[in-house]
């Protein structure tokens, strides 16, 4: 499985991309005719204008949003521009709380996921562990289970799990994880695809390096921390992005397991806006608030984002 | 799969010598160091394995187990065995039949549409022309935007007095008056399809692109020398070169399409008249809103079997055409 990447230098990520791939991977130097350019531009309009409309409308009062529809003004920040909708969003919902919740849940999920999945992949790639062939097979086999098939039984299951609670009477065991932060984090830490990606990547790091470190008396954990992980930047970035996006965007799961307002993430918070007295300006403002950070991250780390998506297409 | 260095063994003897190198060092206490390695390895694997068992394997097993009981999400009574009751009810449930049909409809349209458009876009940006990164970034923007946000945005675009209808009427000089897209049984599903493709196509564009870039440029250069037409290059070099990517894209879009939920939950709640209800939506409705965990598990189980069968068939079909 993927022995061709085995001897590659550690900088060659398993994911190939437009820029990093070598000359064999270059596209033919195509001449794009007028038609080609036209199609490109039309597609760019199709993909960007709805989002542009969202950003721009977040600055306008409702009457003007509808009024501008018939002209190009719908896509331009003109007319009665203000941040009123944003102020109204914070009045209507605890938006800051939702944002903090989502940032916290995503960051903790991603951070723990990187540590736990890479540790497992390290052991599977580098160490003699009984039954590791079977373990890797089971992990990869779980990839075909869509989360949607697990979600409903999982709701019942997390409601049976014991939980530690601390109150004025001391520490006690309670039953059920519903309505907690941990229920939004713990089930999503282990990620079969992340283990697979780390494993592929670790296989491309020469094992002579750990042997040399072991000669110097380094233990396994030290090799993991000081030799393998520092060389695995691209794999870490890929896993971080691939686990961050679903964590930030999660909707189905928190919808089912969170009732308390203070624990809600941003995507569930959106419900407040389209249920009673709909204000489209506020919807656009809230949508912009929870979308712009991700788009900013994407534009800042564009190469890594594209790499990580491309890596989902890599097969053994 | 082995832990040896796997260097290219030029001369067998040398290979043996290399393999034995660490021997003298570890010879004195091979057992102790091996046991230590096993223990550390298991310790490093343990957190992942525990979580995998708790949150993937057990729920998967529960989907099987609970489907044959009468378990409820919150109930004072312990669940009891109910045999095939849930499945009997499921196959008599008209809404579930409707959900299966809707999901099939969605998948049959979305899979070729999204895969095809994504391939066209990948071909368009797989060039060295200036501005390619810019276009790639733009096409990819909807992918990093949450489906919840996209759905809500499109609810506005699809309104009877929304952007889409205004544009339609402008473009046809007032001849066409668009419908209330999400409010009518005939147009609700096509509207969801269009929006879903818009959101997801950039993702598969990148996957096609990574497939395109594994095709050797020399093949195209050779074809250029022979004066081969563009279409022939695509037909005889590009298309065969994308075989592995093709089957992967087919399977991933199909599974995602069958799992349709978020769009429906935000945009139509399954309506109008069940015209957009889906299998996962039904599972969530019964398992969460009505707290009937057992019935929802039965739906999940049937859904999983369908996913398995369809991806097995697709694999078989794409494997045979070597």
């Amino acid at each position: 499985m993927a022995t061709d990447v085995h001897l590659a230098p550690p900088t060659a990520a398993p994911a190939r991309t437009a820029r990093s791939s070598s000359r064999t991977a270059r596209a033919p130097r195509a001449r794009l005719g007028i038609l080609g350019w036209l199609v490109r531009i039309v597609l760019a309009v199709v993909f960007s204008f709805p989002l542009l409309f969202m950003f721009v409308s977040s600055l306008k009062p409702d009457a003007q949003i509808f009024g501008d529809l018939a002209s190009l003004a719908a896509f331009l920040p003109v007319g009665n521009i203000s941040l009123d909708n944003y102020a109204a969003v914070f009045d209507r919902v605890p938006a800051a709380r939702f944002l903090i919740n989502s940032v916290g849940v995503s960051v903790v999920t991603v951070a723990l996921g990187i540590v736990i999945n890479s540790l497992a992949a390290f052991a599977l790639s580098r160490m003699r562990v009984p039954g590791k062939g079977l373990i890797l097979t089971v992990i990869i086999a779980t990839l075909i289970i869509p989360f949607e098939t697990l979600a409903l039984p999982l709701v019942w299951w997390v409601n049976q799990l014991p939980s530690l609670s601390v109150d004025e009477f001391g520490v006690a065991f309670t039953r059920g994880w519903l309505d907690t932060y941990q229920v939004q984090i713990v089930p999503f830490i282990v990620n079969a695809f992340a283990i697979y990606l780390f494993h592929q990547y670790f296989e491309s790091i020469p094992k002579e390096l750990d042997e040399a470190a072991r000669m110097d008396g380094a233990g396994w954990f030290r090799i993991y921390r000081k030799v393998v992980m520092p060389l695995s930047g691209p794999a870490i970035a890929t896993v971080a992005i691939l686990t961050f996006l679903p964590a930030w965007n999660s909707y189905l799961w928190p919808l089912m397991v969170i009732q308390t307002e203070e624990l809600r993430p941003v995507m569930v918070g959106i419900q407040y806006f389209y249920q009673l007295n709909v204000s489209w300006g506020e919807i656009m403002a809230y949508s912009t608030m929870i979308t712009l950070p991700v788009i900013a991250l994407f534009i800042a780390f564009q190469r890594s984002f594209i790499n990580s998506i491309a890596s989902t297409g890599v097969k053994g | 799969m082995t832990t040896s260095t796997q260097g290219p063994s030029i001369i067998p003897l040398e290979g043996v010598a290399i393999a034995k190198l660490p021997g003298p060092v570890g010879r004195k206490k091979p057992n102790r160091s091996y046991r230590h390695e096993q223990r550390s390895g298991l310790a490093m694997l343990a957190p992942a394995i525990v979580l995998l068992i708790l949150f993937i394997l057990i729920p998967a097993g529960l989907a099987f187990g609970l489907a044959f009981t009468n378990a409820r999400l919150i109930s004072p009574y312990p669940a009891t065995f109910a045999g095939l009751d849930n499945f009997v009810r499921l196959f008599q449930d008209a809404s579930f039949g409707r959900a299966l049909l809707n999901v099939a409809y969605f998948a049959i349209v979305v899979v070729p549409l999204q895969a095809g458009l994504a391939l066209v876009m990948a071909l368009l940006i797989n060039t060295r022309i200036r501005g390619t990164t810019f276009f790639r970034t733009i096409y990819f923007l909807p992918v990093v935007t949450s489906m919840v946000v996209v759905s809500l945005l499109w609810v506005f675009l699809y309104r009877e007095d929304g952007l889409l209808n205004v544009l339609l009427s402008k473009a046809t000089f007032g001849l066409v008056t668009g419908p209330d897209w999400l409010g009518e049984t005939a147009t609700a599903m096509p509207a969801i399809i269009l929006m879903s493709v818009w959101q997801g196509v950039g993702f598969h564009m990148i996957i096609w692109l990574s497939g395109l870039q594994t095709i050797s440029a020399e093949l195209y250069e050779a074809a250029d020398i022979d004066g081969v037409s563009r279409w022939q290059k695509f037909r005889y070099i590009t298309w065969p070169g994308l075989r592995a990517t093709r089957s992967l894209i087919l399977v991933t879009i199909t599974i995602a399409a069958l799992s349709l939920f978020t769009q429906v939950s935000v945009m139509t709640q399954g309506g109008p008249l069940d015209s957009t209800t889906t299998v996962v939506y039904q599972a969530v409705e019964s398992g969460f809103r009505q707290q009937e965990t057992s019935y929802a598990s039965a739906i999940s189980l049937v859904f999983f079997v369908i996913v398995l069968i369809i991806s097995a068939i697709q694999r078989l079909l794409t494997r045979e055409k070597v």
Side-chain angles (χ1 to χ4, degrees), chain B:
Chain B
M1 281 300 171
T2 55
T3 46
S4 72
T5 51
Q6 280 187 356
S9 50
I10 308 145
I11 305 161
L13 271 176
E14 222 174 57
V16 170
I18 289 167
K20 278 195 169 167
L21 250 183
V25 185
R27 179 64 50 89
K28 290 224 170 111
K29 35 176 185 173
N31 281 334
R32 247 181 73 192
S33 103
Y34 179 47
R35 269 214 305 275
H36 177 72
E37 184 175 338
Q38 274 193 333
R39 267 207 308 272
S40 328
L42 285 175
M44 284 171 149
L45 268 170
I49 289 182
V50 168
L51 291 172
L52 188 82
I53 291 173
L54 269 179
F55 297 108
I56 295 178
L57 297 183
I58 288 181
L62 280 173
F64 277 87
L66 292 171
F68 298 93
T69 66
N70 62 358
R72 295 185 62 83
L73 182 56
I74 292 155
S75 166
Y77 311 108
T80 57
F81 184 70
L84 292 173
D85 287 3
N86 289 314
F87 295 95
V88 172
R89 191 180 137 201
L90 192 61
F91 289 108
Q92 288 166 349
D93 184 343
S95 289
F96 183 68
R98 197 59 227 252
L100 282 176
L101 281 179
N102 288 339
V103 164
Y105 172 24
F106 183 80
I108 287 169
V109 181
V110 162
V111 173
L113 192 63
Q114 186 161 336
L117 182 59
L119 178 57
V120 170
M121 287 159 58
L123 289 168
L124 272 175
I125 61 165
N126 187 30
T127 59
R128 275 184 279 174
I129 292 170
R130 213 190 304 174
T132 294
T133 312
F134 171 77
F135 285 107
R136 189 184 65 186
T137 308
I138 298 283
Y139 299 165
F140 197 75
L141 279 180
V143 178
V144 293
T145 310
S146 137
M147 188 57 104
V148 176
V149 168
V150 169
S151 300
L152 205 50
L153 173 63
W154 282 69
V155 166
F156 184 82
L157 304 188
Y158 280 141
R159 284 166 59 103
E160 203 159 5
D161 56 353
L163 190 61
L164 189 65
N165 282 344
V166 171
L167 284 179
L168 267 180
S169 135
K170 281 243 152 189
T172 59
F173 302 103
L175 281 176
V176 176
T177 317
D180 175 11
W181 294 92
L182 295 170
E184 287 174 22
T185 51
T187 53
M189 191 53 110
I192 292 182
I193 287 173
L194 183 68
M195 184 219 67
S196 304
V197 171
W198 180 84
Q199 197 267 348
V201 71
F203 185 95
H204 293 99
M205 169 190 78
I206 299 296
I207 296 187
W208 280 123
L209 194 60
S210 67
L212 285 174
Q213 287 168 350
T214 60
I215 302 173
S216 166
E218 283 153 31
L219 288 176
Y220 292 106
E221 280 155 22
D224 279 338
I225 293 168
D226 292 345
V228 170
S229 79
R230 249 194 216 188
W231 164 250
Q232 282 175 318
K233 271 191 266 181
F234 178 77
R235 175 70 187 80
Y236 296 104
I237 302 173
T238 312
W239 188 246
L242 291 173
R243 202 173 54 80
T245 315
R246 209 154 61 218
S247 69
L248 180 85
I249 285 193
L250 200 63
V251 173
T252 52
I253 302 187
T254 308
I255 294 180
L258 296 173
S259 312
L260 176 64
F261 169 77
T262 304
Q263 299 92 307
V264 167
S265 165
V266 173
M267 298 175 91
T268 61
Q269 288 83 47
L273 296 174
D274 274 353
S275 64
T276 58
T277 191
T278 70
V279 177
V280 176
Y281 189 74
Q282 293 271 318
V284 172
E285 278 299 297
S286 47
F288 169 59
R289 303 241 186 262
Q290 287 138 44
Q291 306 213 334
E292 291 183 286
T293 299
S294 59
Y295 191 59
S297 298
I299 296 178
S300 303
L301 189 56
V302 170
F303 174 63
F304 183 50
V305 170
I306 292 172
V307 168
L308 269 190
I309 292 172
I310 289 177
S311 32
I313 292 173
Q314 286 182 336
R315 293 226 151 190
L316 252 143
L317 286 179
T318 45
R319 281 275 156 79
E320 270 176 351
K321 287 188 209 148
V322 177

Side-chain angles (χ1 to χ4, degrees), chain A:
Chain A
M1 193 187 258
T3 41
D4 54 327
V5 290
H6 186 263
L7 295 172
T11 45
R16 296 235 175 99
T17 62
R19 306 287 274 290
S20 68
S21 48
S22 59
R23 69 204 82 81
T24 54
R26 274 297 184 190
R29 185 194 288 279
R31 305 157 310 277
L32 215 59
I34 304 257
L35 184 72
W37 277 104
L38 203 68
V39 175
R40 281 178 149 203
I41 292 166
V42 167
L43 284 171
V45 168
V46 167
F47 286 104
S48 61
F49 272 40
L51 293 171
L52 190 62
F53 173 78
M54 178 173 98
F55 301 147
V56 169
S57 300
S58 73
L59 302 169
K60 300 175 182 174
D62 272 25
Q64 202 199 328
I65 295 176
F66 284 100
D68 283 352
L69 278 184
S71 67
L72 261 182
F75 304 103
L76 297 172
V78 290
N80 194 356
I81 296 299
S82 74
L83 291 175
D84 289 355
N85 288 324
Y86 289 87
V89 161
F90 283 93
D91 279 345
R92 191 193 283 232
V93 300
R97 184 69 197 232
F98 295 163
L99 280 166
I100 291 168
N101 287 342
S102 272
V103 169
V105 165
S106 313
V107 167
V108 174
T109 308
V110 169
L112 287 176
I114 286 171
V115 173
I116 287 177
N117 293 317
S118 66
L119 270 175
F122 177 84
L124 291 172
S125 155
R126 298 308 232 228
M127 301 170 72
R128 288 172 294 176
V129 178
K132 75 175 185 180
L134 178 72
I135 295 171
L136 196 61
T137 310
V138 170
I139 289 173
I140 290 172
T142 63
L143 281 173
I144 56 159
I145 309 176
F147 173 71
E148 286 80 1
T149 64
L150 299 179
L152 276 305
L154 192 57
V155 176
W156 182 86
W157 173 237
V158 295
N159 195 35
Q160 316 295 318
L161 291 174
S163 177
L164 213 54
S165 75
V166 185
D167 55 23
E168 63 266 40
F169 305 110
V171 182
F173 274 109
T174 54
R175 207 186 70 161
W177 282 22
L178 296 186
D179 241 2
T180 57
Y181 280 118
Q182 81 225 33
V183 79
Q184 302 183 60
I185 296 171
V186 183
F188 304 101
I189 292 172
V190 75
N191 182 312
F193 191 68
I195 295 178
Y196 168 75
L197 276 179
F198 274 126
H199 183 265
Q200 293 284 88
Y201 197 87
F202 292 166
E203 289 288 305
S204 76
I205 298 174
K207 288 182 174 132
E208 288 81 359
L209 289 177
D210 5 334
E211 269 149 39
R214 291 193 65 198
M215 295 290 182
D216 296 340
W220 285 103
F221 188 73
R222 208 177 147 78
I223 295 172
Y224 161 81
R225 212 162 53 93
K226 298 281 183 192
V227 178
V228 172
M229 283 311 260
L231 289 173
S232 302
I236 295 171
T238 296
V239 168
I241 289 164
L242 286 181
T243 47
F244 172 77
L245 282 179
W248 182 264
N249 291 337
S250 79
Y251 172 71
L252 167 62
W253 182 249
L255 188 70
M256 296 194 294
V257 297
I258 303 300
Q259 260 92 55
T260 314
E261 185 170 74
E262 289 77 53
L263 299 175
R264 288 205 165 124
V266 286
M267 294 305 155
V268 178
I270 219 167
Q271 283 194 321
Y272 290 75
F273 295 94
Y274 64 89
Q275 274 165 358
L276 25 115
N277 48 29
V278 176
S279 153
W280 283 101
E282 287 174 31
I283 290 182
M284 300 301 170
Y286 186 75
S287 297
T288 302
M289 269 168 50
I290 63 182
T291 303
L292 224 42
V294 185
I295 289 187
L297 278 179
F298 164 57
I299 289 174
F301 301 102
Q302 226 220 95
R303 283 276 294 282
S304 304
F305 266 74
I306 300 289
N307 272 347
S308 61
I309 301 299
S311 72
T312 64
V314 175
K315 277 213 308 181

